[in-house]
Amino acid sequence: YSFPDGFEVYVSSVTGEVVQASTTSSRIWAYLGPIPHWLYFTPLRIHGQQWSSLVIWLSGIGTVASLLGILVGIWMYSPRKTYLNAGQPSSIPYTGQKRWHTVFGLFFGAMACTWAFSGMLSMDPFPMNARSDADAATGLARISNALRQDRGEIAVFAGKHPQEALRSAGNAGLNEGVKELELSTIAGEPLYVAASTDRDSLFIPVNGSPFRAFDAERLVQIMKRAASPTELDIRELTEYDAYYLDRHREKPLPVLLVTEKGSDAARYYVDPKTARIVGSYNSGQWMSRWLYHGLHSWNFPWLYNHRPLWDIVVIALMLGGSSLCVTSIILTWQVLQRKVAGRA
């Protein structure tokens, strides 16, 4: 649906929910950012397999080309300044744009290479550890279902009508009013979950008084029973860690970190305020975490947790990589001009 002011929404014909919304401004920025970045052009994107193969091959070629450029730059670089440039000793045998390209390549070539390589990894070109993923998914589902099930028999809610639950939410002072009312079951207990427009939430038991968050110890006991006979280590996190992080700091804190006793190959992060698993990690995701997100976005804990240092470093690297790309385009254009002129 399009509105006169340029606002557009996509509404699911199955659920009636708005699944995406955009403005004129956001669409312009999309054409300058994610669309060329991911080659999200409609004629190509509608052919999923061909689009995926093209992105993988282009990023693979970019990785190899960057690596070759680094090797050539290092091979030609002379620490003893054996070259001459305008009659002066020089470490680089080139002049003009080629010299600038070499300088930028020596400083930013490794970043360009790892950026292209990590971008390729986002397309999952290599088979991952399917078994560890399956085991982690089983454990995740078992704990998640034990904590909270958002499907059940309507009859168990007969003790408290939804209108009464809404009145209870209002009396409990839920901010901004109720936007959504869920019928849920937590540890076998039927209750309503009222959510407001500012992400505030409230639990309203069918038999009992409303409350804001579950007791952490109660959640611990529920998860340990669900995981039995596997023993769990459960501790509270008040800060983001290497596998649960958010640049905008919108993910909930504190959370409960759940791991198997003696191993952290699978990690689950439970929000005690909503009794939901809000994050997870397993050993099969190592490549995605460190070689993709780490190299592509530089979200290493020693840097990511220190802002604006992270912003300064990333922007500086992007400017250096952009300069490297610009000199590449200029050199390519010069070569093409010479070839066309030669044929003419």
Side-chain angles (χ1 to χ4, degrees), residues 156-169:
V156 299
F157 294 88
K160 180 173 289 186
H161 194 277
Q163 288 183 337
E164 185 180 349
L166 289 172
R167 285 194 294 270
S168 298

Side-chain angles (χ1 to χ4, degrees), residues 26-41 115:
S26 68
R27 290 192 295 275
I28 291 174
W29 284 111
Y31 276 102
L32 296 176
I35 292 176
H37 182 84
W38 290 102
L39 299 182
Y40 273 161
F41 302 104
W115 185 77

Side-chain angles (χ1 to χ4, degrees), residues 30-315:
Y31 276 102
L32 296 176
I35 292 176
H37 182 84
W38 290 102
L39 299 182
Y40 273 161
F41 302 104
T42 303
L44 176 62
R45 191 66 182 89
I46 58 176
H47 304 288
Q49 187 59 50
Q50 290 79 1
W51 168 80
S52 177
S53 299
L54 179 63
V55 173
I56 291 172
W57 276 100
L58 286 178
S59 52
I61 292 170
T63 302
V64 174
S66 301
L67 183 59
L68 290 175
I70 294 170
L71 295 176
V72 170
I74 294 174
W75 180 264
M76 298 302 295
Y77 182 78
S78 173
R80 297 181 180 180
K81 298 186 176 182
T82 57
Y83 305 111
L84 288 177
N85 183 11
Q88 298 297 321
S90 175
S91 299
I92 299 173
Y94 311 118
T95 59
Q97 291 295 329
K98 200 167 186 179
R99 181 180 181 85
W100 280 112
H101 183 69
T102 303
V103 171
F104 286 129
L106 290 172
F107 278 97
F108 300 104
M111 185 275 298
C113 183
T114 56
W115 185 77
F117 176 70
S118 58
M120 179 178 66
L121 291 181
S122 71
M123 303 300 297
D124 196 20
F126 310 117
M128 299 296 183
N129 190 339
R131 181 173 181 179
S132 64
D133 285 348
D135 292 343
T138 301
L140 180 68
R142 186 166 51 178
I143 294 177
S144 179
N145 289 335
L147 285 174
R148 183 166 173 176
Q149 294 181 343
D150 292 330
R151 53 190 183 277
E153 297 296 330
I154 295 295
V156 299
F157 294 88
K160 180 173 289 186
H161 194 277
Q163 288 183 337
E164 185 180 349
L166 289 172
R167 285 194 294 270
S168 298
N171 294 335
L174 189 65
N175 296 334
E176 301 296 332
V178 178
K179 176 184 178 182
E180 184 177 57
L181 191 66
E182 286 185 63
L183 282 67
S184 185
T185 303
I186 300 180
E189 178 185 356
L191 45 75
Y192 296 94
V193 184
S196 68
T197 54
D198 62 351
R199 300 183 182 179
D200 193 16
S201 60
L202 185 72
F203 293 105
I204 308 169
V206 171
N207 301 304
S209 302
F211 58 92
R212 292 280 178 176
F214 272 86
D215 177 63
E217 186 58 36
R218 181 183 177 189
L219 295 180
V220 168
Q221 296 303 320
I222 292 172
M223 289 186 286
K224 286 185 174 181
R225 285 198 301 269
S228 182
T230 303
E231 295 188 49
L232 300 178
D233 277 329
I234 302 175
R235 59 188 178 90
E236 185 180 70
L237 285 184
T238 57
E239 294 291 337
Y240 297 120
D241 66 6
Y243 305 101
Y244 179 73
L245 65 169
D246 182 6
R247 183 177 57 170
H248 302 290
R249 305 190 71 84
E250 293 180 350
K251 287 186 176 180
L253 282 174
V255 294
L256 299 177
L257 171 59
V258 183
T259 60
E260 290 186 12
K261 200 171 188 64
S263 171
D264 62 352
R267 305 162 68 94
Y268 311 111
Y269 300 87
V270 178
D271 180 10
K273 189 175 180 180
T274 61
R276 286 193 187 278
I277 295 178
V278 291
S280 64
Y281 171 82
N282 67 76
S283 57
Q285 297 171 315
W286 183 92
M287 183 179 293
S288 173
R289 169 61 186 94
W290 295 111
L291 296 186
Y292 170 46
H293 291 288
L295 292 178
H296 208 68
S297 303
W298 277 66
N299 60 355
F300 300 109
W302 51 268
L303 178 63
Y304 200 79
N305 293 331
H306 298 86
R307 302 188 67 186
L309 179 61
W310 176 86
D311 305 76
I312 294 170
V313 171
V314 170
I315 290 173

